[in-house]
């Protein structure tokens, strides 16, 4: 977020006109702010939409302005770096995108990255050192597990996990064991877990941290991968998380045509992550940032429609004789999971697990018969996608772990898009008949 009052001319970028954020005491909603927040057309020839700023570097107004910038970067002047200097650090499209992204979770600030994984990698590199312990919920997105266990493990970083549905007591006992191993650098969550759909009790995690870190030992930040339900159906910053992490490739991008990541949350933590991003260059590019600005204008429309479609499709699938069960957050049977859902979520999302009666043969026959839904991994796009995790995304997972995670051969993962709901039901109906 730019300081609107700083017009000292230290940088080539003029400040945008102050935004209208409320009218008559009414705080404007994210869906309204997505059309203009953070961009002043007067700074870009009156262009209604922000141009794509394809430049690697920015011109200083004077030598003194250049010096002033680097005094900020190096900490010789308080307040940090401001303005635009070099595109590995920042750019106008990314700044506008970050301003808008932060609105959805009422976050202090946001940062955007070249992918969800580069966001996660930059976050981890910022906070962990050799000997540290990462406490995380399990299971995590496969590449995140690889990054923590295999890659950071090579540098002496340790980890301990608790199952996504764990109670406060279970979480506390894992954190206590972690404290015996080394400094707990980060608590990293992912909710709902894929493909088990287990929700993490963020409030319980925050309470456990508050109980176990007082006074001398600084408390580790709590970060959570909010890709599956955020930013519409889950706002974990409200429940005690410090950082909410996104693969913007999914719902935020929403058209299956880009790869990007984001982190929103506390400024003091994001300032540290920004310094790491500046060093290693994991920022998103201007063109992708511009595409995301367009995506965010329809985020609420798309997610709302996809959520409504998923509710209709899941209601149909649940009662079908060829279906064993549907793992959808709208159908929670477990009381504790239902309680977490009630406290943390405002919608069940549009990504779910479908367990067919039978095994791989039945799952493949179903997938091959689909006419509207496309066979592809990923989720959160305008189009409905379906895949078989056991044979695709989780093929390399050891059998024992697959079993523990309920990744069976008859499992189909489905992400519902914004098509007509009855057309989707007709497609799933005929594909089930083809088994
Ligand atoms: C896709 C995904 C990621 C990784 O994001 P990329 O944009 O593919 O790098 C991380 N976490 C979750 C939950 C995801 O679904």
């Amino acid at each position: 977020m730019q300081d609107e009052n700083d017009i000292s001319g230290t940088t080539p970028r003029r400040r945008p006109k102050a935004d209208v954020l409320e009218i008559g005491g009414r705080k404007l909603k994210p869906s309204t702010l997505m059309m203009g927040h953070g961009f002043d057309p007067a700074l870009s020839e009156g262009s209604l939409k922000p141009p794509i700023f394809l430049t690697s570097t920015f011109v200083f107004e004077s030598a003194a302005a250049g010096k002033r910038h680097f005094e900020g970067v190096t900490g010789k002047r308080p307040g940090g770096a401001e303005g635009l200097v070099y595109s590995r650090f920042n750019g106008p499209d990314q700044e506008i995108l970050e301003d808008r992204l932060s609105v959805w979770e009422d976050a202090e600030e946001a940062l955007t990255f070249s992918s969800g994984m580069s966001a996660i990698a930059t976050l981890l590199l910022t906070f962990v050192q050799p000997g540290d312990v990462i406490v995380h919920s399990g299971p995590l997105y496969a590449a995140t597990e690889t990054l923590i266990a295999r890659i950071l493990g090579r540098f002496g970083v340790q980890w301990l996990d608790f199952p996504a549905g764990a109670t406060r007591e279970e979480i506390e006992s894992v954190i206590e064991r972690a404290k015996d191993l080394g400094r707990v650098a980060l608590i990293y969550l992912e909710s709902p877990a894929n493909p088990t759909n287990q929700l993490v009790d963020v409030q319980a995690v925050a309470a456990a941290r508050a109980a176990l870190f007082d006074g001398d030992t600084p408390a580790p930040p709590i970060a959570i991968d909010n890709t599956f339900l955020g930013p519409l159906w889950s706002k974990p910053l409200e429940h005690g998380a410090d950082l909410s992490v996104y693969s913007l490739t999914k719902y935020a991008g929403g058209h299956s045509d880009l790869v990007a990541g984001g982190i929103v949350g506390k400024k003091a933590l994001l300032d540290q992550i920004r310094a790491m991003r500046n060093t290693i260059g994991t920022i998103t590019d201007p063109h992708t940032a511009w595409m995301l600005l367009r995506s965010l204008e329809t985020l609420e429309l798309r997610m709302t429609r996809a959520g409504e479609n998923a509710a209709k499709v899941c209601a149909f699938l649940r009662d079908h004789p060829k279906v064993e069960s549907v793992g959808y957050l709208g159908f929670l049977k477990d009381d504790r999971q239902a309680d977490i859902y009630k406290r943390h979520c405002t919608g069940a999302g549009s990504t779910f697990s479908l367990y067919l009666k039978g095994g791989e043969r039945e799952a493949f026959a179903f997938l091959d018969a689909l006419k509207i839904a496309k066979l592809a991994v990923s989720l959160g796009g305008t189009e409905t996608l379906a895949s078989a995790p056991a044979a695709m995304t989780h093929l390399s997972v050891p059998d024992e772990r697959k079993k523990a995670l309920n990744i069976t051969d008859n499992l189909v993962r489905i992400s519902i898009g914004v098509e007509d709901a009855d057309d989707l039901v007709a497609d799933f109906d005929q594909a089930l008949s083809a088994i």
Side-chain angles (χ1 to χ4, degrees):
M1 193 111 30
Q2 294 286 320
D3 177 3
E4 315 281 348
N5 302 317
D6 183 357
I7 46 158
S8 52
T10 53
T11 71
R13 186 183 177 208
R14 287 180 292 157
R15 301 297 184 211
K17 202 168 71 187
D19 266 325
V20 177
L21 298 173
E22 55 135 72
I23 293 177
R26 179 191 160 76
K27 189 176 168 194
L28 300 181
K29 294 287 192 312
S31 52
T32 304
L33 294 175
M34 286 311 105
M35 269 47 107
H37 182 51
F39 175 64
D40 180 358
L43 301 185
S44 295
E45 310 281 356
S47 177
L48 174 69
K49 293 300 191 196
I52 304 176
F53 289 86
L54 291 176
T55 183
S56 61
T57 193
F58 297 85
V59 179
F60 292 124
E61 267 179 3
S62 64
K67 180 180 178 190
R68 207 178 130 77
H69 173 83
F70 281 95
E71 283 173 345
V73 174
T74 53
K76 293 206 162 129
R77 182 178 51 77
E82 40 181 60
L84 302 166
V85 168
Y86 185 60
S87 292
R88 196 178 77 232
F89 307 149
N90 214 345
D93 298 290
Q94 294 94 324
E95 280 197 347
I96 299 163
L97 173 63
E98 287 163 1
D99 284 355
R100 291 189 192 172
L101 194 61
S102 66
V103 166
W104 290 92
E105 286 203 49
D106 235 334
E108 289 173 13
E109 271 189 21
L111 292 172
T112 55
F113 298 84
S114 55
S115 71
M117 282 317 303
S118 75
I120 295 165
T122 309
L123 163 76
L124 294 173
L125 284 177
T126 303
F127 294 112
V128 301
Q129 292 175 24
D132 284 352
V133 192
I134 297 170
V135 171
H136 71 81
S137 64
L140 298 174
Y141 185 73
T144 310
E145 287 200 350
T146 301
L147 184 55
I148 291 174
R150 299 218 209 122
I151 299 175
L152 291 180
R154 294 203 317 246
F155 301 96
V157 175
Q158 314 167 80
W159 56 271
L160 276 183
D161 65 345
F162 56 84
T167 62
R168 175 171 163 185
E169 291 68 36
E170 290 164 339
I171 296 162
E172 281 195 10
S173 86
V174 171
I175 295 176
E176 268 171 346
R177 275 198 291 135
K179 283 172 83 176
D180 292 337
L181 284 178
R183 184 184 78 113
V184 180
L186 182 68
I187 300 175
Y188 187 86
L189 315 173
E190 186 175 315
S191 181
N194 173 18
T196 58
N197 267 335
Q198 291 278 300
L199 294 167
V200 175
D201 190 340
V202 181
Q203 285 171 323
V205 172
R209 176 181 67 174
L212 296 177
F213 295 89
D214 48 350
D216 307 343
T217 357
I222 298 173
I224 178 167
D225 186 329
N226 196 31
T227 299
F228 271 74
L229 291 178
L232 207 62
W233 299 307
S234 166
K235 300 182 192 293
L237 301 181
E238 289 175 2
H239 303 116
D242 303 302
L243 298 167
S244 181
V245 182
Y246 287 88
S247 167
L248 300 175
T249 312
K250 314 296 167 54
Y251 288 99
H255 296 72
S256 307
D257 56 5
L258 61 83
V259 171
I263 307 179
V264 306
K266 298 226 167 87
K267 176 174 164 32
L269 298 172
L270 287 167
D271 281 345
Q272 298 174 56
I273 301 170
R274 181 187 289 103
M276 179 60 71
R277 188 186 71 173
N278 285 353
T279 303
I280 64 178
T282 43
I283 191 169
T284 189
D285 67 278
H287 183 259
T288 303
W290 185 92
M291 302 255 284
L292 281 160
L293 288 174
R294 170 183 262 214
S295 293
L296 290 183
E297 295 183 8
T298 56
L299 180 77
E300 190 174 293
L301 286 174
R302 287 184 286 104
M303 290 185 80
T304 302
R305 170 67 171 253
E308 288 165 3
N309 281 357
K312 287 183 194 166
V313 167
C314 287
F316 164 78
L317 290 172
R318 177 156 74 161
D319 297 330
H320 198 282
K322 290 190 179 169
V323 170
E324 188 178 284
S325 66
V326 180
Y328 168 61
L329 290 175
F331 299 157
L332 291 174
K333 289 186 213 107
D334 178 84
D335 282 350
R336 188 173 145 66
Q337 281 288 305
D339 174 54
I340 300 173
Y341 180 82
K342 219 168 54 202
R343 285 185 282 120
H344 288 41
C345 309
T346 55
S350 79
T351 304
F352 59 90
S353 300
L354 170 65
Y355 291 90
L356 296 168
K357 286 183 183 158
E360 186 181 87
R361 201 166 59 84
E362 286 74 11
F364 279 21
F366 172 78
L367 288 170
D368 287 337
L370 289 168
K371 292 181 172 158
I372 297 172
K374 301 281 190 297
L375 244 82
V377 301
S378 197
L379 59 119
T382 47
E383 63 284 290
T384 295
L385 300 181
S387 65
M392 300 173 188
T393 46
H394 292 70
L395 184 66
S396 64
V397 175
D399 286 345
E400 207 170 291
R401 184 151 163 78
K402 264 193 215 162
K403 212 166 147 198
L405 298 178
N406 226 8
I407 303 172
T408 45
D409 290 341
N410 62 333
L411 165 63
V412 174
R413 278 292 275 183
I414 295 174
S415 166
I416 296 291
V418 301
E419 302 94 337
D420 180 85
D422 295 329
D423 286 350
L424 291 175
V425 168
D427 191 25
F428 288 120
D429 194 16
Q430 64 82 24
L432 286 166
S433 302
I435 296 177

